[in-house]
Amino acid sequence: MPARIYKQPKPAGQSGLAGTQEWVFEYGQSAARTPDPLMGWSGSTDSVSQIRLYFSSCEEAVAYAQRNKIEAQVEKPAIRLKQPKVYAENFAANRVQNWTH
């Protein structure tokens, strides 16, 4: 399975953007996962799939993959639409309605 190069998305439950500026290089799974006979946990003999490398740009991650002859797929991040909100707008509509009655 080829490696993935992607930009980590913003956590849904938080408004901060910490940790979302770096590009992640993640190796693909090359061995099947099997249940452990004793505990039943899912495991694999492929330890390389646990490695994550962080880069400051997509170009650096792609260059790393090319240097090491690793097939990789780049996943472009979704475009975020910023809608600025003003706290005073919560009260402006109510104030106009109160004065007209």
Side-chain angles (χ1 to χ4, degrees):
M1 178 175 246
R4 284 176 56 202
I5 298 173
Y6 63 95
K7 199 169 190 180
Q8 203 155 343
K10 180 183 86 64
Q14 299 177 1
S15 60
L17 297 175
T20 61
Q21 302 304 316
E22 295 179 320
W23 286 83
V24 181
F25 180 91
E26 196 173 74
Y27 287 94
Q29 189 80 26
S30 64
R33 293 187 176 273
T34 57
D36 181 59
L38 179 63
M39 298 298 290
W41 294 341
S42 176
S44 176
T45 58
D46 180 25
S47 60
V48 175
S49 65
Q50 300 174 7
I51 297 173
R52 281 188 178 173
L53 302 174
Y54 296 91
F55 296 91
S56 59
S57 70
C58 180
E59 292 78 20
E60 289 179 13
V62 170
Y64 172 81
Q66 289 173 349
R67 264 195 323 268
N68 293 298
K69 296 179 179 72
I70 301 170
E71 182 184 349
Q73 294 177 346
V74 177
E75 298 176 8
K76 297 292 181 185
I79 298 172
R80 293 185 59 229
L81 299 175
K82 294 183 182 181
Q83 298 177 350
K85 298 177 183 176
V86 179
Y87 181 69
E89 290 177 1
N90 294 337
F91 305 103
N94 293 337
R95 188 177 308 146
V96 172
Q97 291 175 357
N98 292 338
W99 285 100
T100 58
H101 290 106

